[in-house]
Structures are given as structure tokens and as C-alpha cells.
């Protein structure tokens, strides 16, 4: 399945919602430290409800540790500054979907990382800064899953 990678997330409910996303789609959720919260925090648990045990969640000490563990073949970094839309890619299981921290997004250094295959954006109206992190991950995850026939879905 697909692998969502949150680089240094800051807002607990977004990660809680991403845990629900992982549980409901079968994707893996990977988090790169430092996190802006304790993963056991009430806000994370409340957003994730009872999905924690049904989700694959892994925390990595830094981005290099994540790359080592994931050994990614393809990494798509999502940024409002990319030229291509998220729908311009033919996603394959095993792809890493990389999202940056709230409220800054991915740093130029992370966007330039040699592991990054391409930079993509989700279309929005002009003059808007960004989407909520969990919503952005959901949009991309469901597009990738749709392209692969919603494998495993009921």
C-alpha cells in the first residue's frame, strides 16, 4: 500500500486524523521527529478515536532514518509551490507521499532531497495559503488508491 510521511508535524489533531486515514485505507503513516506534540496526547487520541490499533504508524528520529527504513523507490513531495497537480502522477503501491509541517510546509532543503522524485500540488483557488495537513493527505491518498482500483476496499 501507500506510505504517507509527515515531516515534523506540529498539530496533534492532524496526526490523529491521519491515523484514522491509515486505518481506513490500509496505508502506512510515518512521522519524522521532532513532533510538535506527544503522540500519546489526548488531542491525538481523540482525533484518532479507536483507530490507533488498526493503523500502521511508525516514528523516525529524523528524515535520514525514515529514508533508511522506507528505502523508497518513489517519493512525491507536496507543496503549494509545485507546478504539477497531484493527479498528474500514476501512483503505485509503495510510493511515499511526503507532507511538511504546519504551518510552514516542506523546507527548501527537504524539497531538494535526492530521494524526492517529484514535487506536486493540490489545486486551490488563488490567494489561499494551504489546505489542512490531514485533508491534503486524504485527498492525495484517495487519488492514489482510486488509481489502483481501491484494492482491498469494501
Amino acid at each position: 500500500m501507500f506510505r504517507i510521511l509527515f515531516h515534523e508535524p506540529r498539530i496533534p489533531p492532524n496526526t490523529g486524523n491521519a491515523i484514522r486515514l491509515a486505518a481506513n485505507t490500509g496505508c502506512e503513516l510515518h512521522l519524522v521527529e521532532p513532533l510538535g506534540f506527544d503522540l500519546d496526547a489526548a488531542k491525538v487520541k481523540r482525533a484518532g478515536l479507536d483507530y490507533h490499533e488498526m493503523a500502521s504508524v511508525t516514528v523516525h528520529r529524523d528524515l535520514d532514518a525514515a529514508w533508511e527504513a522506507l528505502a523508497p523507490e518513489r517519493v512525491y513531495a507536496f507543496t503549494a509551490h509545485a507546478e504539477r497537480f497531484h493527479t498528474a502522477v500514476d501512483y503505485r503501491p509503495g510510493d511515499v507521499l511526503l507532507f511538511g509541517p504546519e504551518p510552514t510546509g516542506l523546507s527548501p532543503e527537504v524539497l531538494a532531497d535526492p530521494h524526492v522524485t517529484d514535487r506536486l500540488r493540490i489545486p486551490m483557488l488563488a490567494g489561499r495559503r494551504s489546505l489542512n495537513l490531514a485533508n491534503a493527505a486524504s485527498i492525495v491518498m484517495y487519488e492514489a488508491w482510486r488509481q489502483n482500483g481501491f484494492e482491498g476496499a469494501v
Side-chain angles (χ1 to χ4, degrees):
M1 190 37 102
F2 302 96
R3 301 176 290 177
I4 294 173
L5 179 58
F6 281 1
H7 184 259
E8 301 178 0
R10 298 282 176 246
I11 300 175
N14 282 333
T15 298
N17 286 326
I19 290 169
R20 291 179 77 167
L21 176 65
N24 283 297
T25 63
C27 72
E28 298 173 3
L29 177 62
H30 294 264
L31 308 173
V32 173
E33 294 180 323
L35 307 181
F37 51 86
D38 176 354
L39 199 53
D40 293 327
K43 289 181 181 177
V44 175
K45 290 192 177 274
R46 186 169 33 254
L49 295 175
D50 57 350
Y51 288 92
H52 290 265
E53 281 115 35
M54 293 183 259
S56 172
V57 181
T58 305
V59 179
H60 305 278
R61 73 179 176 280
D62 56 31
L63 192 55
D64 287 334
W67 296 144
E68 186 176 326
L70 292 167
E73 191 173 312
R74 301 185 331 162
V75 176
Y76 295 104
F78 294 88
T79 172
H81 308 290
E83 296 296 319
R84 292 175 8 112
F85 289 146
H86 73 291
T87 53
V89 172
D90 292 327
Y91 296 99
R92 298 189 307 241
D95 285 349
V96 174
L97 313 173
L98 173 61
F99 297 87
E102 319 91 327
T104 61
L106 293 167
S107 70
E109 295 79 26
V110 173
L111 288 169
D113 188 291
H115 290 92
V116 173
T117 305
D118 201 353
R119 289 154 207 77
L120 303 170
R121 67 180 295 128
I122 298 168
M124 299 183 301
L125 294 175
R128 278 41 172 208
R129 191 169 45 104
S130 66
L131 289 166
N132 167 282
L133 177 61
N135 291 344
S138 296
I139 289 166
V140 175
M141 179 56 222
Y142 270 88
E143 172 61 15
W145 197 21
R146 181 197 66 78
Q147 288 183 14
N148 286 266
F150 294 114
E151 185 176 330
V154 293

